[in-house]
């Protein structure tokens, strides 16, 4: 095997290549360093953007939740009032049913007379319910 040394390049070419390598290398390192430094900034900017977007979405939801809680409280209050009214109406219906049953019994009694029926009705008017 015959190995011959590579032909020598002129000295000025070697110097030019060395300078370009150093400048290119430092520029490349500077670019990489810049990207690495900026990467942290990009992450922070992305986190800020996401936080702003989340707050923008959450605030209307919080407002709506507050409105719905108010509406629920109003509905519960109204429901309590309506339940009380239903209870009162059920009581009145029971009283009227008993009164009607007494009147029917008086009308259907074997010894019923107009005078006796009128007496039962008059008595019902005096009974405090």
């Amino acid at each position: 095997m015959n190995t011959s040394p590579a032909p020598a390049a002129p000295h000025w070419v070697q110097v030019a290549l060395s300078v370009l390598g150093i400048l290119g290398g430092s520029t490349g390192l500077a670019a990489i360093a810049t990207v690495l430094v900026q990467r942290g900034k990009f992450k922070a900017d992305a986190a800020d953007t996401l936080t702003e977007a989340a707050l923008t979405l959450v605030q209307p939801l919080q407002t709506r939740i507050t409105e719905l809680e108010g509406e629920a409280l109003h509905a519960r209050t109204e429901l309590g009032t309506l339940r009380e009214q239903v209870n009162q109406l059920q009581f009145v219906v029971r009283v009227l049913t008993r009164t009607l049953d007494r009147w029917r019994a008086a009308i259907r009694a074997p010894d019923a007379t107009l005078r006796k029926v009128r007496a039962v009705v008059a008595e019902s008017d005096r009974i405090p319910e």
Side-chain angles (χ1 to χ4, degrees):
M1 224 188 222
N2 206 358
T3 27
S4 59
H11 182 56
W12 66 271
V13 172
Q14 289 177 352
V15 171
L17 288 175
S18 296
V19 169
L20 285 175
I22 291 171
L23 290 177
S26 64
T27 304
L29 288 176
I32 292 171
T34 302
V35 167
L36 291 176
V37 169
Q38 292 293 326
R39 186 173 174 215
K41 185 178 183 274
F42 292 147
K43 284 184 180 179
D45 289 345
D48 287 344
T49 302
L50 289 174
T51 301
E52 282 183 40
L55 289 175
T56 302
L57 293 173
V58 167
Q59 187 173 4
L61 292 175
Q62 287 176 332
T63 302
R64 184 65 179 139
I65 287 170
T66 302
E67 291 172 0
L68 291 173
E69 286 173 344
E71 290 175 16
L73 179 62
H74 177 72
R76 281 192 290 272
T77 303
E78 190 173 337
L79 179 63
T81 302
L82 292 174
R83 281 183 178 159
E84 187 171 330
Q85 289 176 352
V86 166
N87 289 338
Q88 291 172 353
L89 289 172
Q90 287 173 336
F91 174 76
V92 169
V93 167
R94 283 192 300 271
V95 168
L96 291 174
T97 301
R98 283 193 301 261
T99 301
L100 185 59
D101 289 343
R102 280 196 305 273
W103 290 359
R104 281 189 184 139
I107 293 169
R108 293 183 179 163
D111 59 340
T113 64
L114 187 55
R115 177 173 275 155
K116 287 182 182 180
V117 171
R118 284 184 179 164
V120 169
V121 171
E123 183 180 318
S124 295
D125 289 340
R126 289 189 301 249
I127 296 176
E129 304 295 340

